[in-house]
Amino acid sequence: MEAIKMSGSSFTQKALLFTVLCLPLGAAVAAPVSPFVAMAGTWSGGGVLSTSDGQQEQLRCRATYNVAGSGEQLRLNLRCASPSYNFDLASDVEYRGGAISGSWSEASRNASGTLSGRASGDHVQAAARGDSFSASLSLTTRGGRQTVSIQPQGTNITSVSLALSRR
């Protein structure tokens, strides 16, 4: 029995050492990783813009994602063009523990507003709101491929679907 018995201070020291060794691992698992890191760089591709009268137009797009800090800040520039539509979207977004928030502006229509939503893993789900415009946005990044779906409200554009590749 004597060999199994530990002194109080020896047990406390071993428990403290075990706790210290486990803390970095536990902290790394608990902190969500920003999805912005995988988005960094320049992307291009195309997609389809659908309108309320049933028309569809092919889009050509180019996106640039500038990621700052440890991936918590993102600056997006997205330019798309079709035969009838052009849009030039910019946004500044912040990531904090799964939540995203920020602002957006669209230069060709002189529109702007706020952006809020959630991000987890490779997926971002957000809502954009402005004085005369709102839209839901879904974005998924997997390796060198990215899909973007935008569902505007209050406009003749009913949806925008994009497939982009890293350049």
Side-chain angles (χ1 to χ4, degrees), residues 79-161:
R79 291 181 181 203
C80 292
S82 75
S84 304
Y85 295 92
N86 289 312
F87 57 91
D88 186 0
L89 179 67
S91 65
D92 288 299
V93 186
E94 194 170 270
Y95 175 83
R96 294 247 190 271
I100 61 168
S101 62
S103 62
W104 62 270
S105 64
E106 200 291 312
S108 66
R109 290 169 183 76
N110 196 26
S112 62
T114 60
L115 185 69
S116 62
R118 304 286 307 160
S120 177
D122 61 4
H123 189 71
V124 174
Q125 188 73 38
R129 294 194 177 22
D131 289 337
S132 60
F133 176 83
S134 64
S136 60
L137 169 95
S138 176
L139 185 144
T140 302
T141 304
R142 290 195 179 118
R145 303 256 182 234
Q146 188 175 82
T147 57
V148 180
S149 175
I150 303 170
Q151 305 292 319
Q153 291 89 42
T155 178
N156 70 320
I157 300 171
T158 58
S159 69
V160 175
S161 297

Side-chain angles (χ1 to χ4, degrees), residues 4-152:
I4 297 174
K5 189 175 177 184
M6 280 198 252
S7 72
S9 65
S10 175
F11 178 77
T12 303
Q13 288 172 347
K14 289 180 181 177
L16 181 59
L17 178 61
F18 178 77
T19 302
V20 169
L21 291 174
C22 290
L23 277 178
L25 177 62
V29 171
V33 176
S34 171
F36 296 163
V37 173
M39 298 163 59
T42 302
W43 301 71
S44 64
V48 176
L49 178 143
S50 301
T51 60
S52 57
D53 63 2
Q55 298 297 310
Q56 291 188 331
E57 290 196 27
Q58 296 296 311
L59 289 168
R60 293 298 306 153
C61 301
R62 181 179 171 124
T64 304
Y65 299 94
N66 293 314
V67 178
S70 299
E72 290 87 17
Q73 290 93 29
L74 172 75
R75 170 82 176 157
L76 161 69
N77 289 296
L78 173 65
R79 291 181 181 203
C80 292
S82 75
S84 304
Y85 295 92
N86 289 312
F87 57 91
D88 186 0
L89 179 67
S91 65
D92 288 299
V93 186
E94 194 170 270
Y95 175 83
R96 294 247 190 271
I100 61 168
S101 62
S103 62
W104 62 270
S105 64
E106 200 291 312
S108 66
R109 290 169 183 76
N110 196 26
S112 62
T114 60
L115 185 69
S116 62
R118 304 286 307 160
S120 177
D122 61 4
H123 189 71
V124 174
Q125 188 73 38
R129 294 194 177 22
D131 289 337
S132 60
F133 176 83
S134 64
S136 60
L137 169 95
S138 176
L139 185 144
T140 302
T141 304
R142 290 195 179 118
R145 303 256 182 234
Q146 188 175 82
T147 57
V148 180
S149 175
I150 303 170
Q151 305 292 319

